[in-house]
Amino acid sequence: IIVATPDEVCVRNGAIAADNLANLGIEQSRLIINRFDVKATVKRKLLNIDDVIDSTRLRLLGIVEQDSAVSFNLSRGKPLPSRSKAAKAFERIADRLDGKRIPLKID
């Protein structure tokens, strides 16, 4: 699993990692787009989902939206609230890893 934020540097490094894994014979790599921010994408500050997928040439496993609850709770050593955007995304990703058919979506 390759996790990349939708900025050009991270996506380029994700593509390099995917190529390296493929060269080692690992063909089932998947992509998680982390800290996705719709507003930043619209303003063209970050790449859109299709650009990230096209650049890494990986099958998308999930999208984790930018969620202030992550840094807020981590800095206090607390778990994420189950209703947070990130927690819901992590749950969907875990379900996909368990073989369940869960639609890709952004909360």
Side-chain angles (χ1 to χ4, degrees):
I1 297 173
I2 294 175
V3 180
T5 57
D7 64 86
E8 291 185 26
V9 172
C10 193
V11 170
R12 186 171 35 252
N13 288 334
I16 291 168
D19 289 343
N20 288 337
L21 290 171
N23 290 336
L24 293 171
I26 300 169
E27 298 293 333
Q28 293 189 1
S29 297
R30 298 292 183 262
L31 172 67
I32 294 174
I33 300 174
N34 193 30
R35 300 183 74 180
F36 183 74
D37 184 344
V38 174
K39 290 178 185 177
T41 300
V42 170
K43 293 179 182 178
R44 298 186 186 256
K45 292 182 178 182
L46 295 174
L47 298 173
N48 66 40
I49 294 167
D50 290 332
D51 289 338
V52 176
I53 294 169
D54 290 346
S55 295
T56 59
R57 298 172 306 280
L58 292 171
R59 190 169 154 198
L60 185 62
L61 182 59
I63 301 166
V64 181
E65 279 188 85
Q66 177 66 32
D67 186 347
S68 60
V70 174
S71 57
F72 180 80
N73 284 291
L74 283 177
S75 66
R76 286 159 181 75
K78 295 184 177 185
L80 281 175
S82 60
R83 293 185 181 192
S84 73
K85 292 179 183 182
K88 290 178 184 177
F90 296 148
E91 187 174 324
R92 287 191 297 269
I93 290 166
D95 285 344
R96 285 188 203 102
L97 287 169
D98 277 343
K100 296 177 186 171
R101 293 190 176 270
I102 307 294
L104 288 166
K105 70 176 194 173
I106 299 173
D107 287 322

